[in-house]
Amino acid sequence: MLKVLHHHVREGLFEGIKRANADEQVRAIVIIGEGKTFPCGADIREFHTHASVKEPVLTAVGHTIENSGKPVISAIHGTALGGGLEIALCCHYRIASENARIGFPEVLIGLLPGAEGTVRLPRLSGLAFAMDMIAFGKQVNAKDAFRHGILDKLCNGNILEEAKQFATKVIGQPLDSRRLSRLDVKDAANVDLLFEVALAQVKRKSRGQIAPIYCLKSVRNSVRMSFDKAVEEEQRLIMELMTGYQSTALQYSFFADRSAPKWRLPCGASVHNTKPSRIETAGVIGAGTMGSGIAVCLIRAGVPVILVEKNKKMLEKAMKTISGILDGSVKLNRMTSEQKEQCLAILKGTSTLDKLSNVDMVIEAVYENLELKREIFAQLDKVCKPSTLLCSNTSTLDIDKIASATNRPDKVAGTHFFAPAFIMKLMENVYGTKTSPATVATVMEFGRRLGKELEATKEEIKNIRLHLTVTFCTIDL
Ligand SMILES: CCCCCCC/C=C/C(=O)SCCNC(=O)CCNC(=O)[C@H](O)C(C)(C)COP(=O)(O)OP(=O)(O)OC[C@H]1O[C@@H](n2cnc3c(N)ncnc32)[C@H](O)[C@@H]1OP(=O)(O)O
């Protein structure tokens, strides 16, 4: 199945085009994905491995296609995304099923379409459409793509048969005008204005992200520079993005997002056979940066919180900080003033643990000191109702050692947030050797409810610490 452009797929395409060109019997070439779809892009798992730079790289495959002396037609069904679309743009013609979709989702993993996509697409669709599609990772349906000149024909029958028929009609037609690298960008005169408008949108919608800005710059280069020079610059930009922390985090989250809902423990318990309990109320212990941030995450998700801090001045300060964080959200139009008040109404501050007797879950967020945490957990075990889950925000300490201070190790887990907790969407869910599947299921479900984009990811056994880590969610950049 031609779905992801692994090295062996690139090699197959490269050799196939060369062979077809050498074969006198062949008069036109059709590239089609086997199975349900055209390739959905480069293999993200291959990035940062030798396979990603092993020849033929995607651009070399594209050049072989574009330089083919025989017409090459891409027949798109399903989705042609990322590198898949870049391959299609190197073809001389593109036809697609009416229900196909195309797009450049690279920006969503912190990259840009780095196999000449930013330089080729504007030559076909015009700048405005290319900027919008590339900088926001938008997918468009075949009809839209046809309207914008990206596709040459829409098909509603058997795509392969229609591609063969199409091929017979274009055999012998001149190919130079079909080679995008030889064409000019249509609306080049408007480049500066279009760039400024798109940049303003990017700054508003994708605040703090580098890739969308690089996408726009690279599309702008398609006008300001020769094709070859713009491609060279595109390469430089993608390599810079590829080695940056934003792209690393977004690629990680891409996979975490998909594997989270499929969590499974070595004992066989999984998301499919373990029922989570509903957390109605929670306690957070420690009103420092982490505790306050965690409290914000919870109240924003509508979970009433009792924030425990024995230092009363610190507690007062934390309540003000939390209110200030919510004010920030109101200013950014992420919540209304009314919603802010609703959040504050479900937050209570206290200086004693005994107020936590009735909560369903406690998240301890005091500083990293095993003895202190064990002391707190031993007290919680006495104070809280038997069903309460006791969680620690520890990043380094052994959950088993914390759990052994209680008589309910099955209900002890790690819920590790990353600072600032109300912005970072990464939450690491650590469970010890005695944590029950029901506790894992509940904590996972709770993480999802906190509005993190991604819930859970693959399990990895941390042999050194003798516990298993389930990591979920990503960074809200
Ligand atoms: C130094 C090198 C420079 C190289 C420059 C190269 C330039 C090109 C870059 C690219 O092409 S980057 C990739 C661009 N494409 C994408 O980002 C597409 C991402 N995928 C999707 O959007 C969706 O998966 C889909 C294609 C729309 C299908 O969605 P669906 O809901 O049907 O399935 P999923 O659950 O999302 O995925 C199934 C399965 O496949 C894995 N997967 C999907 N895409 C990729 C990919 N591009 N690389 C590797 N793996 C991919 C996904 O993780 C799932 O795996 P499992 O969870 O089942 O293990």
Side-chain angles (χ1 to χ4, degrees), residues 292-303 417 420-424 449-450 452:
S292 305
I294 294 169
V296 170
C297 291
L298 269 56
I299 55 176
R300 267 192 332 205
V303 180
F417 293 74
F422 56 94
I423 291 178
M424 300 289 271
R449 250 176 87 201
L450 293 188
K452 312 290 190 185

Side-chain angles (χ1 to χ4, degrees), residues 124-145:
L124 202 53
S125 69
L127 282 170
F129 194 75
M131 283 181 179
D132 195 40
M133 207 169 135
I134 293 174
F136 296 101
K138 283 186 187 162
Q139 288 186 27
V140 298
N141 61 39
K143 283 182 186 154
D144 270 354

